[in-house]
Amino acid sequence: MTKTLSSKELTLLDAYWRAANYLSVGQIYLYDNPLLKKQLTKEHIKPRLLGHWGTTPGLNFIYAHLNRVIKAHDLDMLYITGPGHGGPGLVANAYLEGTYSEVYPNVSQDEDGMKRLFTQFSFPGGIPSHVAPETPGSIHEGGELGYAISHAYGAAFDNPDLVVACVIGDGEAETGPLATSWHSNKFLNPVTDGVVLPILHLNGYKIANPCVLARISHEELDHLFRGYGYTPHFVEGHEPEKMHEQMATTLDTVVREIQSVKELEELVLKELRRDFSPEFINRIDETIVFHKLTKEEILSIVELMMRRLREQMTTHEVTIELTDEAKELLVEKGYDPAMGARPLRRAIQRHIEDPLADFVLGAELTPGSTIMVDRAGDEEVKITIIPGEEREPVAVPAGDASEPEGSIDEPSDPSDD
């Protein structure tokens, strides 16, 4: 399998990340002995610690990988961080890149400058523990939890070439302003505005308490953000080498998706300009492009429609199970590149619902029965009724039943939505 990162890229990314982590730890803990040339003693440690180490490695990890995609794809990008007290990470990266020393020459890139960098952090006469205004490039006050996405979208509006990577802390995600601001994507125009790439940092804790979004299942989290209008990608693990590869692959995928949307929107706008007047185009609020459904997406619709049928059959105390082969047959029968998922409604009715209706009307289903649906040849399915202990399994051919006007409490068709 081809890897996204070469061995050299992996080594450089990991080295940069570890260097940023060390500079971050030094700011939080060290008062002296910045390069640990001497044996570490109590006198080298700050008497009062501020700044959260928990969020900092993730911020540094994301920063390093965003630098890679900026160079690889020639991106114009901003990095906004929402987690509170993540200042050590952003200051560390600004120092590591040389920007901090350019703005503050007294914090030089040598041992004396590193000591000053460490001692000034969250210390009287120094700098705050969050991304304060004096941090080079800061446009977002990191200590104010809840406004990261709002600021990200504000930066993206009317900047069509800009990508704003916005890290949201999982504790911050529970604030009212942040929870509301997910809907800012409703106001974004892909042609005239930039793109916001939210990165939800689920390390699991807010100070010392668990976070809701870090505790719910992947499925629930995925559904939540798809409902908001986002396409979730999960990057998780604890082994650095695997995480670097996973993050690099995911970011490359996301950047390609962003570029694809931008190119498509520009193509649509070009076609509109060719056929319609500027006055008409100015009155267009939103352009929606429909893509052809893939067979994988049809399979997801099969799962959804069968879930509804299972719920209906629970009133008869009957369960339904489909083999993978049966699902594949329904996909084949229900997939049409031009019609989308519309034929699927008829395929499920003909092969499954109509025979089930006959069983229900004929009182052939007893409480506790299980209906097994499998594939029988190239064109049909086989339905097997597994009743209680009083009868042997009965195999019933499907697909030959007459097609009545309707079927069992026919559910709405999700393909029509």
Side-chain angles (χ1 to χ4, degrees):
M1 181 177 178
T2 304
K3 291 189 174 182
T4 301
L5 296 175
S6 66
S7 58
K8 181 179 180 181
E9 287 176 319
L10 176 61
T11 299
L12 291 174
L13 268 173
D14 192 64
Y16 183 97
W17 177 52
R18 288 184 287 109
N21 286 341
Y22 180 79
L23 291 170
S24 302
V25 171
Q27 291 177 77
I28 297 172
Y29 290 96
L30 290 180
Y31 181 72
D32 198 359
N33 193 13
L35 292 176
L36 299 181
K37 289 183 176 180
K38 297 177 285 186
Q39 180 69 33
L40 190 65
T41 66
K42 182 180 178 181
E43 287 70 30
H44 300 149
I45 306 298
K46 293 179 180 179
R48 182 171 179 266
L49 305 178
L50 281 175
H52 297 175
W53 169 244
T55 193
T56 300
L59 295 180
N60 291 339
F61 181 82
I62 295 167
Y63 194 104
H65 278 270
L66 292 179
N67 269 341
R68 185 193 73 84
V69 294
I70 287 171
K71 294 179 65 177
H73 299 278
D74 191 25
L75 300 178
D76 184 8
M77 179 177 280
L78 282 179
Y79 182 48
I80 290 181
T81 60
H85 296 279
L90 273 295
V91 171
N93 281 280
Y95 179 77
L96 193 56
E97 292 179 342
T99 307
Y100 204 92
S101 298
E102 290 177 9
V103 178
Y104 304 106
N106 58 326
V107 186
S108 51
Q109 289 191 303
D110 53 26
E111 186 172 357
D112 290 338
M114 188 181 294
K115 179 180 178 181
R116 184 178 294 275
L117 180 78
F118 290 175
T119 56
Q120 72 174 5
F121 176 78
S122 196
F123 208 73
I127 62 173
S129 62
H130 53 267
V131 184
E134 55 263 45
T135 305
S138 172
I139 67 167
H140 170 72
E141 183 75 10
E144 296 183 62
L145 296 184
Y147 303 99
I149 292 184
S150 298
H151 290 174
Y153 276 98
F157 289 139
D158 296 323
N159 281 293
D161 298 324
L162 183 65
V163 178
V164 186
C166 179
V167 185
I168 301 101
D170 44 9
E172 179 190 24
E174 296 178 8
T175 64
L178 197 291
T180 303
S181 60
W182 288 112
H183 298 284
S184 300
N185 58 357
K186 277 69 172 178
F187 305 98
L188 204 70
N189 185 322
V191 175
T192 60
D193 300 324
V195 176
V196 174
L197 174 61
I199 303 173
L200 183 59
H201 189 198
L202 292 177
N203 62 358
Y205 297 93
K206 49 177 186 283
I207 307 300
N209 298 308
C211 288
V212 174
L213 295 183
R215 295 301 191 267
I216 63 178
S217 68
H218 273 194
E219 182 181 19
E220 186 176 351
L221 195 62
D222 183 90
H223 290 172
L224 174 67
F225 284 103
R226 287 187 187 277
Y228 285 157
Y230 299 90
T231 302
H233 295 265
F234 291 88
V235 178
E236 57 186 339
H238 62 277
E239 299 177 56
E241 183 174 339
K242 293 181 179 179
M243 282 291 290
H244 282 305
E245 177 65 25
Q246 190 179 352
M247 184 65 167
T249 301
T250 301
L251 282 178
D252 278 355
T253 299
V254 169
V255 169
R256 284 194 294 268
E257 290 176 359
I258 291 172
Q259 291 173 337
S260 175
V261 170
K262 283 284 188 181
E263 291 169 0
L264 184 59
E265 289 288 345
E266 290 172 0
L267 178 61
V268 170
L269 187 59
K270 181 180 178 181
E271 292 297 315
L272 289 173
R273 284 171 177 160
R274 187 182 66 181
D275 297 323
F276 297 97
S277 67
E279 181 181 0
F280 177 84
I281 293 174
N282 288 337
R283 294 176 181 273
I284 297 176
D285 295 322
E286 187 173 3
T287 304
I288 301 175
V289 178
F290 292 93
H291 297 272
K292 292 181 179 179
L293 290 172
T294 65
K295 289 193 175 182
E296 290 74 18
E297 290 166 334
I298 295 289
L299 181 59
S300 298
I301 297 175
V302 169
E303 299 281 4
L304 176 62
M305 297 178 74
M306 289 308 302
R307 185 187 308 166
R308 294 178 178 177
L309 184 56
R310 289 189 186 99
E311 292 172 355
Q312 292 173 335
M313 294 304 293
T314 57
T315 61
H316 301 281
E317 299 182 39
V318 172
T319 58
I320 304 176
E321 296 182 12
L322 269 73
T323 64
D324 291 339
E325 291 77 12
K327 294 176 185 177
E328 182 64 29
L329 176 64
L330 292 174
V331 170
E332 292 174 7
K333 295 294 184 182
Y335 176 72
D336 186 293
M339 297 293 290
R342 292 183 183 278
L344 183 61
R345 168 72 271 166
R346 300 180 184 88
I348 290 178
Q349 177 178 328
R350 176 176 182 271
H351 291 282
I352 299 178
E353 290 182 347
D354 288 352
L356 289 185
D358 289 341
F359 299 152
V360 172
L361 293 174
E364 299 181 51
L365 299 177
T366 58
S369 296
T370 298
I371 298 173
M372 293 293 300
V373 182
D374 198 359
R375 184 167 187 161
D378 294 333
E379 299 293 330
E380 302 295 339
V381 300
K382 179 179 71 174
I383 296 180
T384 302
I385 303 174
I386 304 178
E389 298 179 356
E390 64 275 4
R391 289 198 299 172
E392 294 296 321
V394 179
V396 183
D400 296 329
S402 60
E403 297 187 7
E405 289 291 325
S407 59
I408 308 170
D409 298 333
E410 180 171 334
S412 59
D413 184 356
S415 65
D416 290 335
D417 293 341

